[in-house]
Amino acid sequence: MNLNTKRENNNNYDNRNLSIPWTNRFIYAAIVQGAIIVGLTIFLVFSQISFLKPEISRVIAAGGAGTWFTFGYIMYVVVGVIGIAVSAIFYFYLEKILAQPYNKRLTKLLAWTHLLLMNLGTTFAMGMLMYVGYIGGAAMLPEDIGGQGFNAEQTHQILAPFVEPIAIAIIVLLLGIVLGGVGFILTYKEKTQLY
């Protein structure tokens, strides 16, 4: 009984000292993405009351192309901050709970592509959605409040050049997630084969 308790204590001690580099990388990335969206929010709030014309609230309230801004903002929070933080939980489960490090070349490569492509894809896709949503939505507003009075067809000319780049950035983001998932599965299967 004493030998088993000692062995369990040693296993717990070893497990506590395991390195969790991928968990840490994804947590840091979530913190950076969170800081970016907080910075953007502060900018939007102060620009709303001072220098941005037309105001972002008018663009959002008008709907239409301004919906692109709203969608980009919400998805940045959901995918760029929360999604990356949730990915860290998966890495924590593998690295700490299962004590299965990412020590093979292929799984390390998959983890790196997950980290880089997910972050880059999110930043570019959602950044472009917010930018073009504001520009297009502002153009549709009446001239007396800082818009250009564009109709839907004129606004479409502003939005159209961004459709393919946004789609490509979303594909990059999804590719990162899929490759990260493959890395999770390979690492998990490797651990289960050891038992």
Side-chain angles (χ1 to χ4, degrees), residues 146-192:
Q148 296 174 323
F150 280 16
N151 62 31
E153 187 176 330
Q154 292 170 311
T155 304
H156 179 73
Q157 293 175 2
I158 295 171
L159 303 175
F162 287 88
V163 172
E164 287 183 15
I166 290 169
I168 291 168
I170 290 171
I171 289 169
V172 167
L173 159 65
L174 293 174
L175 181 62
I177 293 170
V178 168
L179 292 175
V182 170
F184 292 153
I185 291 167
L186 291 175
T187 304
Y188 183 78
K189 284 181 77 172
E190 182 181 323
K191 179 65 178 181
T192 57

Side-chain angles (χ1 to χ4, degrees), residues 116-138:
L116 297 174
L117 297 182
M118 187 175 185
N119 279 280
L120 291 173
T122 298
T123 302
F124 284 105
M126 306 321 153
M128 284 187 284
L129 275 167
M130 288 185 278
Y131 172 75
V132 75
Y134 175 76
I135 299 299

Side-chain angles (χ1 to χ4, degrees), residues 40-87:
L40 175 64
T41 303
I42 291 168
F43 168 77
L44 293 173
V45 168
F46 283 115
S47 66
Q48 171 74 26
I49 57 176
S50 58
F51 62 88
L52 191 62
K53 299 294 179 204
E55 297 88 352
I56 192 68
S57 61
R58 290 183 188 265
V59 171
I60 293 169
T67 306
W68 287 36
F69 176 87
T70 306
F71 183 73
Y73 183 89
I74 291 169
M75 291 309 294
Y76 199 107
V77 173
V78 171
V79 178
V81 181
I82 298 170
I84 292 170
V86 168
S87 294

